[in-house]
Amino acid sequence: MSDLSTQLIHHPYTPPAGFATVQPAVHKASTILFPNVAALRSRDWKHKTGYTYGLHGTPTTFTLEERIATLEGGRFCTLVPSGLAAVVLVDMALLKAGDEVLIPDNAYGPNKAFAQAELASWGIGCQLYDAMNPADLAAKLNVKTRLVWLEAPGSITLEFPDLPALAAAVSAHNESSAQAHRLGTVTAIDNTWGAGLAFNAFALGADISVQALTKYPSGGADVLMGSVVTRREDLYHLMHFCHMRVGYGVSGNDAELVLRGLGSMALRYAAQDTAARQLAAWLLDQPQIETVLHPALPNSPGHAEWTRDCNGAACLFSAVFKPEFSPMQIDRFCDSLRLFRLGYSWAGPMSLCVPYDMPALRVAKPWPYQGGLVRFSVGLEAVADLQADIAQALESL
Ligand SMILES: *Cc1c(COP(=O)(O)O)cnc(C)c1O
C-alpha cells in the first residue's frame, strides 16, 4: 500500500465510539463490502437481515422505514423515490395482464393517468368508481379485480368517503368469489392527507397504505419520497421484490431530511389543521364564494364520515366561486394573491394555491358546480396575514 491513491481509498478510519446523537447518521452507499467470498455468495437480498447493495437499503433508510411503519400502525415499509412511485409500485407488484384495478374518480390525478396509459398498454383494465357511493364500488368489483384504490379525502375536492363501507364491499366480494385468487382483491389507500395522524388506515380496512413523504413527513417542500406500508407479510414480499427489480432506490440525504421532519410532524399537522379550518370557515362567509370544501365543514361531502373516523385534517381546502365569476377572473384572483404562491404540492411551510378545471376531471359522476375552483394549501404563516391576503385578492374580483 505505497501509492497515495491506494491509501486514500483503503484508509483506516472508523467512526468514534460513544458518539450518541439525537438524529441518526446519514449512511450512503452503492457498494457495500463483504468480508469474503462466502459472505458475498450467501448474501440475503430478500430479507432485511443485512446490507447487500445501496439500492436495497442502508442503516439510514431502514431506520426511516421502521419509523414510517410505526407511524401508520403497519409492520413493513418500503421507501420509493416519490409518492407517485409508491402508487406505481403497488400497481406493478399486484397487477398482471388481464387483471383490473378500480380507482376512485376523485383520486390523485397521476394515479388515474398511470392506469389509463401504462397499465392499459400492459393489458390491465381500469374502472373509475364513485368513492362516495359504496354500492357503485360493489357493482364494479368482478373476477378480474385484483386491486382497489382508496383515497381519503378525494384529491382537490376533499369528499371524505366511508372507508369501512368501501372495505366491507371488497371483503364481501372476496368471500363470495371464494379464493378465485390467492391474495384476494387487495385494498390500497393513498394516505398522504391523513399522513398516519388523522386516522389509522389499517383499522379502517386498508391492506396497503401509501404516502407521499414529500408532504407532511418531510414538511420542507424540498424532498420527494414515498412509502408503501402494510401489515401483511405476503403483500410486503411482493412490494419488496418488485422494488428490487425496478430499482427504486432513495438517497441517504433525502432519507435524513425526512427523518429530521418527522420530529415536528405532529405539531405541524395540528397547527396547519387549525389554520386551514379557520380560513375555510371564514372564506365560506365571503359573498364571492359558492361553497368551501373541507371535511370539517358541515356542508362538505363526507363530513359525517370524517367526524366518525378522524381526529384531525390536513392543510387543504378548496373554494368554489359563484358562477358569475369567469375563469379569467378566477385566474386574476390567484395572480393577485401575495402570500399564497402558485405551485403544486402541499404541507410545506409556504401557503400555495392552484386553480382547477373540475368538469374535465370527473367521469363517474358529473361535477355539480358551475363556478371555478381554487385549491388552497395552508402553510405555517400567521393566519391573520393569510386571511388578509385572500381578502385583498377577493377585492380584485
Ligand atoms: C403529492 C401527492 C402524491 C404524489 O407525491 P409525489 O411525491 O409528488 O410524487 C400522491 N398522492 C397524493 C394524494 C398527493 O397529494
Side-chain angles (χ1 to χ4, degrees), residues 82-85 87 108 151 155 190 192 212 214-215 224-225 345-346:
S82 70
L84 179 55
V87 170
Y108 178 65
E151 193 167 327
S155 198
D190 185 328
T192 303
T214 308
K215 309 287 167 50
L224 290 156
M225 202 178 291
S345 200
W346 44 280

Side-chain angles (χ1 to χ4, degrees), residues 275-286 292 294 297 317 387:
R277 284 195 222 190
Q278 278 177 32
L279 289 170
W282 168 80
L283 193 55
L284 187 58
D285 287 338
Q286 304 311 303
V292 176
H294 182 300
L297 292 174
F317 61 87
Q387 182 174 315

Side-chain angles (χ1 to χ4, degrees), residues 27-100:
H27 293 279
K28 307 207 297 182
S30 50
T31 300
I32 294 157
L33 302 172
F34 298 95
N36 53 47
V37 174
L40 184 144
R41 291 224 171 98
S42 64
R43 75 202 182 282
D44 177 10
W45 307 94
K46 298 187 174 173
H47 305 91
K48 290 181 182 172
T49 49
Y51 304 100
T52 50
Y53 187 57
L55 207 47
H56 306 153
T58 66
T60 311
T61 62
F62 283 7
T63 303
L64 180 55
E65 285 177 341
E66 276 172 21
R67 296 212 182 158
I68 299 296
T70 304
L71 168 70
E72 296 209 40
R75 288 177 60 206
F76 309 98
C77 174
T78 308
L79 295 177
V80 292
S82 70
L84 179 55
V87 170
V88 167
L89 180 71
V90 172
D91 284 344
M92 288 197 299
L94 290 174
L95 298 168
K96 311 266 172 301
D99 290 346
E100 197 173 279

Side-chain angles (χ1 to χ4, degrees), residues 216 265-278 313 315 378-381 383:
Y216 279 107
M265 177 180 168
L267 280 176
R268 289 185 280 105
Y269 197 91
Q272 284 166 280
D273 180 3
T274 305
R277 284 195 222 190
Q278 278 177 32
C315 59
V378 178
L380 289 164
E381 304 94 333
V383 185

Side-chain angles (χ1 to χ4, degrees), residues 380-397:
L380 289 164
E381 304 94 333
V383 185
D385 291 338
L386 295 174
Q387 182 174 315
D389 189 33
I390 299 176
Q392 66 80 23
L394 285 174
E395 264 159 40
S396 79
L397 286 168

Side-chain angles (χ1 to χ4, degrees), residues 307-388:
T307 307
R308 184 190 65 196
D309 294 335
C310 292
N311 45 35
C315 59
L316 299 172
F317 61 87
S318 289
V320 179
F321 284 75
K322 294 235 167 97
E324 64 254 37
F325 298 106
S326 69
M328 250 174 59
Q329 279 175 296
I330 292 168
D331 288 358
R332 200 168 62 224
F333 163 83
C334 293
D335 285 336
S336 308
L337 289 162
R338 294 173 196 140
L339 296 179
F340 283 90
R341 303 294 300 273
L342 287 164
Y344 292 102
S345 200
W346 44 280
M350 186 182 283
S351 293
L352 301 170
C353 77
V354 179
Y356 285 95
D357 177 19
M358 284 319 301
L361 298 176
R362 290 290 176 267
V363 172
K365 196 170 64 177
W367 176 243
Y369 297 104
Q370 304 271 300
L373 177 145
V374 176
R375 189 192 70 182
F376 294 86
S377 154
V378 178
L380 289 164
E381 304 94 333
V383 185
D385 291 338
L386 295 174
Q387 182 174 315

